[in-house]
Amino acid sequence: MPAAAITDMHDRRNLPLVALSIEICGAVALIMVEWSGFTTPTLLLVLCFVMGSGMAGAIATFW
């Protein structure tokens, strides 16, 4: 619900770009951490949360 409220307060054209940018940053960070071999369970959960938050923000703008 917070993502829908943010969508109502701000421009609907820019919010999906911001949300998908957050998701891509989380995915790239996860790839870089995995390739370097420094993946921990906590870091994996945090980066998955970042990616999921970006996805939730992007989906909320379409409803």
Side-chain angles (χ1 to χ4, degrees):
M1 289 309 227
I6 292 171
T7 302
D8 290 338
M9 292 187 294
H10 297 288
D11 189 14
R12 287 182 180 257
R13 292 175 291 184
N14 292 332
L15 200 57
L17 294 175
V18 171
L20 290 175
S21 297
I22 292 170
E23 186 177 356
I24 289 172
C25 287
V28 168
L30 182 60
I31 289 169
M32 292 174 66
V33 168
E34 182 62 34
W35 277 347
S36 65
F38 295 116
T39 307
T40 63
T42 304
L43 188 58
L44 180 64
L45 286 173
V46 167
L47 291 174
C48 286
F49 176 77
V50 169
M51 290 174 20
S53 297
M55 186 180 301
I59 290 173
T61 59
F62 299 121
W63 296 110

